[in-house]
Amino acid sequence: MPFYELAIEFKFRYLRNLGNTIIDFFSQVKGLFATFGIVDAVDILVVAIIVFAIIRVVRESRAIQLIKGLLFLVLFYFVVNFFGLGATSYIMRNIFSNILIILVILFGPEIRNILEQMGIGNYRKVLKNVFNSGVGVDIADMKKAIDAICKSCAEMSDDNIGALIVLENDTLLGDIIKTGTIIDGKCTKELIGNIFYPKSPLHDGAMVIRKDSVYAAGCILPLTNNNDISSKLGTRHRAAIGITEQSDAVAIVVSEETGEISYAANGSLKQGVSTGELRDLLTQQYIPTGSSSDDKIISKIARRFRSNDR
């Protein structure tokens, strides 16, 4: 059969499947609303709350990346089912038939943590973690935090004081934070310097910066399994690479031996970073383009609307 005939047949099959899918969808919607009642509304609300609660709980850990992977599998299943790929659809159906077991295996630590908190009566803490939506970051405060980080790294570099600083991004590091000590203090040069002072009890671990505050210190990070990394790199550098391999966080390392500053992101390490270069990297990563030093995102949008009204 010529190629153009195959293309026409494929296009016809695609349009036919699309039409059948649309017809079936509207038929199901029509049937649903014909029998929809108060019980159904309550049922949907309960399911929505459960899904929302699960997302709110796992967002504090790197398990949120697993959810993204599962959503991709669901989308992939709909695509192969739509095009009628029999063998692939069979494999995907077998996977989703055991989805409950898969979820328990993947999210075992998160489920155990919730049940433990409920078992010891910490319902208030569980509900707070579920429904606390957090607040936005003031751009001016974030710039001050970046300035404090750069100045403290410069001083520690001059004094050959080792340091490992992790800045959170979209993926929250709740499981990493649990291994350290919660501080939740304003990010200042003095606080960072005191934590990494050689005689400080928290100086050996990693510091986690959440938004514009020093959220935790003395945290334990996963080490990279990359065997291609130079053997000259120490534990701090391997931990910095490891956390950026498993999340979208960035990490800053100050070498205790040489005083050299390194910057890790996306599983790669950039060594010999100057203070100015570090400031540029952090600003590019965490400060929206075109923002002023005293700007908030909301006020910036409001001013844009006012300027348009003029």
Side-chain angles (χ1 to χ4, degrees):
M1 182 180 291
F3 176 77
Y4 71 90
E5 292 184 5
L6 287 174
I8 293 174
E9 182 179 351
F10 178 79
K11 186 176 181 180
F12 175 76
R13 182 178 179 182
Y14 172 81
L15 293 175
R16 184 182 61 187
N17 289 339
L18 179 61
N20 292 335
T21 302
I22 294 174
I23 292 173
D24 292 341
F25 173 76
F26 282 106
S27 298
Q28 293 176 5
V29 171
K30 182 180 179 181
L32 176 64
F33 280 101
T35 60
F36 192 82
I38 298 178
V39 176
D40 299 307
V42 174
D43 189 22
I44 293 174
L45 179 62
V46 171
V47 172
I49 292 175
I50 292 174
V51 173
F52 176 75
I54 292 173
I55 293 175
R56 294 297 302 180
V57 171
V58 301
R59 71 184 289 270
E60 277 290 333
S61 67
R62 287 167 291 168
I64 192 67
Q65 295 175 329
L66 295 177
I67 292 181
K68 294 177 181 178
L70 289 175
L71 291 177
F72 174 77
L73 283 180
V74 171
L75 179 62
F76 180 71
Y77 172 71
F78 281 116
V79 171
V80 298
N81 193 46
F82 176 79
F83 286 104
L85 305 180
T88 309
S89 298
Y90 174 77
I91 295 174
M92 298 301 296
R93 279 197 300 271
N94 282 305
I95 292 176
F96 285 109
S97 64
N98 300 308
I99 191 64
L100 290 179
I101 299 176
I102 294 174
L103 290 176
V104 170
I105 294 174
L106 291 178
F107 301 105
E110 286 74 21
I111 296 173
R112 179 176 179 177
N113 180 51
I114 295 173
L115 294 178
E116 285 178 350
Q117 295 297 329
M118 296 179 66
I120 61 179
N122 284 349
Y123 302 101
R124 184 177 180 181
K125 181 179 179 181
V126 173
L127 292 176
K128 182 179 179 181
N129 289 336
V130 169
F131 294 104
N132 181 22
S133 60
V135 295
V137 182
D138 190 310
I139 294 177
D141 289 340
M142 192 64 204
K143 285 191 173 184
K144 291 179 182 178
I146 292 175
D147 184 65
I149 293 170
C150 294
K151 288 182 178 179
S152 60
C153 286
E155 291 186 359
M156 291 186 292
S157 176
D158 292 338
D159 298 332
N160 282 23
I161 296 176
L164 175 54
I165 302 174
V166 178
L167 285 87
E168 219 176 33
N169 218 324
D170 293 333
T171 302
L172 300 184
L173 304 176
D175 50 346
I176 298 297
I177 290 171
K178 290 177 183 177
T179 64
T181 301
I182 300 294
I183 297 175
D184 198 11
K186 187 176 180 62
C187 185
T188 62
K189 178 172 66 71
E190 293 76 16
L191 178 58
I192 297 174
N194 285 336
I195 289 175
F196 287 114
Y197 182 70
K199 294 184 178 181
S200 168
L202 299 176
H203 81 282
D204 277 336
M207 172 187 294
V208 176
I209 305 291
R210 171 171 287 185
K211 297 179 180 177
D212 58 344
S213 67
V214 177
Y215 195 78
C219 300
I220 300 174
L221 303 183
L223 300 181
T224 179
N225 294 320
N226 190 348
N227 296 323
D228 296 330
I229 296 175
S230 173
S231 58
K232 296 181 181 180
L233 297 178
T235 304
R236 286 192 178 95
H237 294 83
R238 293 181 178 274
I241 297 173
I243 191 61
T244 58
E245 287 176 338
Q246 299 184 20
S247 71
D248 58 356
V250 300
I252 304 167
V253 182
V254 180
S255 174
E256 189 173 358
E257 296 179 356
T258 64
E260 183 182 67
I261 300 175
S262 301
Y263 179 87
N266 300 319
S268 61
L269 185 71
K270 185 175 184 179
Q271 297 178 263
V273 178
S274 65
T275 306
E277 191 176 1
L278 177 62
R279 188 186 303 274
D280 292 339
L281 289 170
L282 294 178
T283 300
Q284 183 180 2
Q285 179 72 31
Y286 293 98
I287 303 298
T289 304
S291 60
S292 60
S293 60
D294 60 346
D295 216 354
K296 285 185 178 180
I297 296 177
I298 295 177
S299 61
K300 179 182 175 183
I301 296 174
R303 284 206 307 273
R304 182 174 296 177
F305 276 110
R306 288 198 295 268
S307 63
N308 290 337
D309 292 337
R310 293 176 184 175

